[in-house]
Amino acid sequence: AYPSGEPFAAYRAAMEEVAGQEGAAFLDVAPQVLEGGSDMFLDYNHLSDAGHRRLSGQIAEELTQLGWVAEVR
């Protein structure tokens, strides 16, 4: 079985609020990773190779959009 987003919704909302208050960037990766289903996870807590690839792609895209890193080709 793999995790659902429900148990972490309040935590993510709090993190997003604090990030906004502090002027920090916040990237909620859970929806995109979770939509990949069980292929994204080895077990309930650990990402598979596919999950890590999806996560790293999301992080790279966000950092590029923020202008913190150059676009990687």
Side-chain angles (χ1 to χ4, degrees):
Y2 60 96
S4 71
E6 289 301 316
F8 304 105
Y11 174 78
R12 284 195 314 272
M15 293 298 293
E16 187 171 16
E17 181 181 344
V18 170
Q21 291 170 353
E22 297 298 320
F26 175 78
L27 175 60
D28 184 4
V29 298
Q32 291 79 17
V33 172
L34 291 173
E35 78 181 12
S38 61
D39 289 345
M40 299 293 110
F41 294 89
L42 295 174
D43 56 30
Y44 189 78
N45 290 318
H46 300 94
L47 293 172
S48 65
D49 287 345
H52 280 289
R53 281 192 298 276
R54 184 174 281 203
L55 177 64
S56 65
Q58 289 177 266
I59 293 169
E61 183 179 319
E62 181 72 10
L63 293 176
T64 301
Q65 289 177 358
L66 290 168
W68 294 0
V69 297
E71 186 172 345
V72 178
R73 295 179 184 219

